[in-house]
Amino acid sequence: MRRRFFLLTVAFFTFAGLAVAGAARAAGYPEKPVRIIIPFPPGAAADNAMRVVTRKLSAYWGQPVIVDNRPGVPGMQAAAAAPADGYTLLLGAGSGIVTTPLLNSKLPYNPSRDFTPVGKVLTNTPVLTTHPSVGVKSVKELIALAKSKPGQLNYSSSGTGGPNHLAMEMFLAMTGTEMVHVPYKGAAPSVNELVGGHVQLGINAVPSVAHQINAGKLTALAVASARRSTLLPQLPTMAEAGVPGFEYDIWYALFAPARTPAVLVDKVSADLQRALRDPEVARQLVAQGSEPAPGSAQDLARYIREDTARWTQLIAERKLKID
């Protein structure tokens, strides 16, 4: 009994000591610059938005927050291999965290193994647009046209498995239509080809097409999210326009390398939520076409599980993959 009491006492004070040390570590964080890896090129919508957030975090922390642009898989790999000390973070997209791993089993990183959720940062509202030459003014007109010409309309995307490709696959599945997918290497050429009339329609994030819509170069039919866009409030949602149940957001969130201490994850998550609720930060993000989406690490983990289940089903049904 004495030995058991002794061991329990030692264990209690050990854990208590660790808790105190962890709290002290979080209170002193950060003691040096923090690096956020962004797997997108400079000037991309997510890059522009995150720079607004990093300026606020830097003001909170009294340390520089360095944006490290490493487009594509190399950026994901670099974040996965970084020390789990809270000084390297990742801005991950739903595509890189959820859908691309479902489409490609040969990726050199595994999101569930390599990353710890910190908190969602923002969402971009996708909008369904057509080239004016298509001649439709509503989603119902587009569906009717597509059904009268199965396989004759085409749509652009930023690449196979990208968010706008999967959004269109969802649209085709829910409307019973057939169209030809024309993938490009990135959002910019995808939108440019749509504006030029080389492809006929597409679903793209509002920041990528708002200017072209306002200039009359593209015809906007509906937003894909559950709520109307702040920048394009006149557009109906896809559900309002005749596709009930359609809901799709392009989302971005902050992650830490796996095994990052929970006290540091909680500290960064709390400060991130505080920054996203700052009125000036929110104003700047909305002006760019993004919606702040503050939430806890636990909220993000739950959202990823739900998102994974949804896309697993659609990808299987549509027999999609990346070779």
Side-chain angles (χ1 to χ4, degrees):
M1 288 292 293
R2 290 182 177 178
R3 176 176 175 78
R4 183 181 179 186
F5 177 77
F6 173 75
L7 292 174
L8 288 173
T9 302
V10 169
F12 171 80
F13 282 107
T14 298
F15 285 123
L18 290 173
V20 171
R25 186 177 184 184
Y29 172 91
E31 298 176 336
K32 60 182 181 180
V34 176
R35 178 177 61 138
I36 297 182
I37 294 176
I38 298 183
F40 308 100
D47 174 71
N48 292 336
M50 196 61 203
R51 289 174 188 270
V52 173
V53 179
T54 56
R55 286 195 290 270
K56 182 59 67 172
L57 290 177
S58 181
Y60 290 163
W61 294 342
Q63 293 286 350
V65 179
I66 301 166
V67 171
D68 184 359
N69 295 96
R70 298 195 185 191
V73 172
M76 304 295 288
Q77 284 182 279
D85 58 4
Y87 288 95
T88 299
L89 304 169
L90 168 74
L91 180 69
S95 55
I97 296 296
V98 174
T99 54
T100 300
L102 291 174
L103 291 160
N104 184 355
S105 61
K106 298 179 181 179
L107 288 175
Y109 68 91
N110 182 320
S112 61
R113 179 196 66 206
D114 296 333
F115 303 120
T116 296
V118 174
K120 194 183 284 189
V121 178
L122 59 93
T123 61
N124 281 333
T125 301
V127 55
L128 174 62
T129 57
T130 64
H131 188 267
S133 63
V134 177
V136 299
K137 299 296 183 182
S138 70
V139 172
K140 289 183 178 180
E141 289 181 10
L142 175 62
I143 294 171
L145 178 63
K147 287 186 174 180
S148 71
K149 298 180 177 180
Q152 295 183 45
L153 296 181
N154 56 43
Y155 68 92
S156 65
S157 82
S158 58
T160 301
N164 37 25
H165 172 215
L166 294 179
M168 278 301 304
E169 289 287 346
M170 181 188 292
F171 179 81
L172 300 182
M174 296 182 70
T175 59
T177 53
E178 299 176 26
M179 299 183 194
V180 177
H181 176 213
V182 184
Y184 292 90
K185 293 183 178 179
S190 170
V191 173
N192 289 340
E193 292 296 282
L194 176 57
V195 172
H198 303 294
V199 289
Q200 294 164 300
L201 65 142
I203 292 180
N204 294 281
V206 166
S208 299
V209 292
H211 176 73
Q212 291 86 346
I213 291 170
N214 292 331
K217 296 179 180 179
L218 292 176
T219 301
L221 303 182
V223 294
S225 60
R227 299 177 306 279
R228 293 197 177 199
S229 166
T230 304
L231 279 185
L232 301 170
Q234 75 280 11
L235 288 181
T237 66
M238 201 78 81
E240 291 172 335
V243 189
F246 193 104
E247 180 180 343
Y248 183 76
D249 278 317
I250 299 171
W251 61 269
Y252 301 89
L254 204 61
F255 296 84
R259 297 176 298 282
T260 298
V263 289
L264 296 184
V265 170
D266 291 344
K267 162 70 173 172
V268 176
S269 181
D271 289 340
L272 173 64
Q273 293 174 67
R274 177 186 169 198
L276 292 171
R277 291 189 173 100
D278 181 272
E280 180 57 21
V281 170
R283 185 195 67 77
Q284 292 183 57
L285 292 180
V286 169
Q288 292 180 2
S290 299
E291 299 283 348
S296 68
Q298 294 74 25
D299 292 337
L300 176 57
R302 182 170 55 253
Y303 182 86
I304 290 172
R305 288 193 297 271
E306 294 170 353
D307 210 34
T308 300
R310 176 174 63 153
W311 288 112
T312 297
Q313 180 178 350
L314 182 74
I315 288 169
E317 291 175 351
R318 303 291 292 179
K319 296 181 172 60
L320 304 175
K321 65 178 180 178
I322 299 176
D323 297 322

